[in-house]
Amino acid sequence: MMKFVEIKPVSHQQLGFFIDSSLCSGCKACQVACKDKNDLEVGRRFRRVYELHGGGFIDNGQGGYLNNVYAYNLSISCNHCDDPACVKHCPTTAMHKREGDGIVMVNTDKCIGCGYCSWACPYGAPQMNTQAGQMSKCDFCVDLQAKGEQPVCVATCPLGAIKYGPIAALRAQYGSLSDVQGLPGSTITHPNLVVKAHSGAEVGSK
């Protein structure tokens, strides 16, 4: 008797970033390299390095104080989310999520520069290209990846604080934390991002 085997479609390999905030020194080499590679004018940045700090001194009720002061750096770009707000709010479908690798990109043949995607994105990823009158954003350096090279931010970081790859593999190796102080809650767009928080940093949804 002939046995039929169900052939399942190959699942796509959603790409994502891993940011080791415990290693990031805030040098901004990734930010500068991204601006240089994409020829971005002053004010437009696809990758941004933030300095986050907070906490204070707490009275322990016994005449002493405990401190939970923290300060760390966090490098953030587009997170190529599973549920990207930019895509949902684009009226022309110019902002779209690619099949295969899940990279969120802008189709400049369709973009009318309305800015809805920028207003909707909690991470501020889409940014106006004023010269072209259209939106622009991190495209995961698809041109470099096509040549077998790393995204420029990954290749440039002197401390190896930025890694990329299939998000499932990154989560298997580094965990699934993507909620840290300074970032919007991950339930909004389900970002393909894993963060290793700096020692002493508060962790949790903003």
Side-chain angles (χ1 to χ4, degrees), residues 8-194:
K8 297 181 179 180
V10 177
S11 61
H12 73 275
Q13 292 287 310
Q14 170 68 58
L15 294 179
F17 285 111
F18 167 67
I19 308 297
D20 190 340
S21 186
S22 70
L23 289 179
C24 180
S25 67
C27 71
K28 299 187 179 180
C30 58
Q31 179 177 300
V32 173
C34 177
K35 283 181 68 70
D36 183 59
K37 189 261 180 188
N38 292 289
D39 195 23
L40 304 181
E41 70 279 8
V42 174
R44 191 156 54 115
R45 296 174 296 164
F46 292 166
R47 180 166 286 280
R48 302 166 302 282
V49 178
Y50 298 106
E51 180 182 305
L52 305 169
H53 53 82
F57 293 88
I58 304 169
D59 188 342
N60 66 6
Q62 299 175 350
Y65 288 86
L66 302 174
N67 98 66
N68 63 349
V69 175
Y70 64 89
Y72 61 103
N73 300 293
L74 189 60
S75 177
I76 291 295
S77 69
C78 174
N79 295 309
H80 305 279
C81 306
D82 284 340
D83 186 22
C86 60
V87 173
K88 291 197 298 185
H89 288 82
C90 178
T92 66
T93 69
M95 196 69 70
H96 63 286
K97 192 169 175 66
R98 287 204 329 179
E99 293 290 333
D101 53 23
I103 295 175
V104 176
M105 300 186 69
V106 186
N107 182 342
T108 54
D109 291 334
K110 294 182 177 181
C111 181
I112 58 175
C114 66
Y116 289 172
C117 56
S118 179
W119 301 337
C121 176
Y123 299 98
Q127 296 173 41
M128 176 65 75
N129 179 341
T130 54
Q131 185 174 1
Q134 295 179 314
M135 303 311 294
S136 60
K137 60 180 290 299
C138 160
D139 64 1
F140 230 128
C141 290
V142 290
D143 54 338
L144 296 183
Q145 289 198 57
K147 296 187 291 185
E149 300 177 23
Q150 297 178 323
V152 69
C153 58
V154 177
T156 303
C157 179
L159 297 176
I162 308 175
K163 301 185 186 302
Y164 84 109
I167 193 64
L170 294 176
R171 286 171 177 155
Q173 185 171 358
Y174 301 110
S176 58
L177 176 66
S178 57
D179 286 304
V180 297
Q181 289 294 327
L183 292 183
S186 62
T187 57
I188 300 173
T189 60
H190 302 283
N192 287 297
L193 172 71
V194 175

